[in-house]
Amino acid sequence: MKAFLNEFKEFAMKGNVMEMAVGIIIGAAFTAIVTSLVDDIISPIIGLFVKVDFTDLVASVAGVDIRYGAFIMAVVNFLIVAFVLFIVIKAFNKAGNLTKKPEEESAPTTKVCPFCKSEIAIEATRCPHCTSELTE
């Protein structure tokens, strides 16, 4: 049992698990911000143009209320979250590219044997496949 607990502790303290936990917590906080943005700012602005609060839109069918307005706002919320995440990820990628040094082209490590056309090491003086002597 002690070995199992130690193995679990090692798993739980790995960097990926901790990064994922932090990401989930930040995601939940970000969701609250976006929900407030949609509910408190965007929904009233849309309501100014449409003269209707989407969250109040309800259709009654056979005594059952279908709240399609809440669904519309959930779709708007999703689109805003997706757009903001796109912008954030694009900014992180751009910032990451600024710090990267351009990769220098590395010298080739292989060449083609002129006799048998097989790929061989660049330093080879004799082809290991056809045993031809290579002169350069």
Side-chain angles (χ1 to χ4, degrees):
M1 184 67 169
K2 188 173 184 177
F4 176 77
L5 289 176
N6 285 337
E7 186 177 347
F8 177 75
K9 179 182 172 186
E10 181 180 325
F11 167 77
M13 293 303 158
K14 281 186 179 176
N16 293 343
V17 175
M18 298 305 281
E19 289 171 4
M20 186 177 68
V22 169
I24 290 170
I25 292 167
I26 290 174
F30 186 72
T31 300
I33 292 170
V34 173
T35 301
S36 175
L37 174 70
V38 170
D39 292 343
D40 301 329
I41 296 173
I42 293 176
S43 183
I45 291 173
I46 292 173
L48 287 174
F49 295 111
V50 183
K51 304 288 188 214
V52 176
D53 184 9
F54 279 113
T55 56
D56 294 336
L57 296 176
V58 177
S60 293
V61 178
V64 176
D65 289 339
I66 300 174
R67 299 178 44 199
Y68 66 93
F71 175 74
I72 291 171
M73 290 315 300
V75 170
V76 169
N77 189 358
F78 169 77
L79 292 174
I80 291 170
V81 169
F83 179 73
V84 170
L85 284 176
F86 170 74
I87 297 297
V88 168
I89 290 171
K90 189 170 178 143
F92 277 126
N93 287 342
K94 186 172 258 189
N97 288 340
L98 292 176
T99 61
K100 285 184 183 176
K101 295 179 182 175
E103 293 183 19
E104 295 178 17
E105 290 191 28
S106 58
T109 59
T110 60
K111 62 183 176 183
V112 176
C113 174
F115 301 102
C116 69
K117 305 297 183 202
S118 59
E119 193 170 314
I120 57 175
I122 195 99
E123 297 89 18
T125 57
R126 188 176 289 272
C127 177
H129 302 286
C130 67
T131 67
S132 298
E133 191 170 328
L134 305 171
T135 58
E136 290 191 39

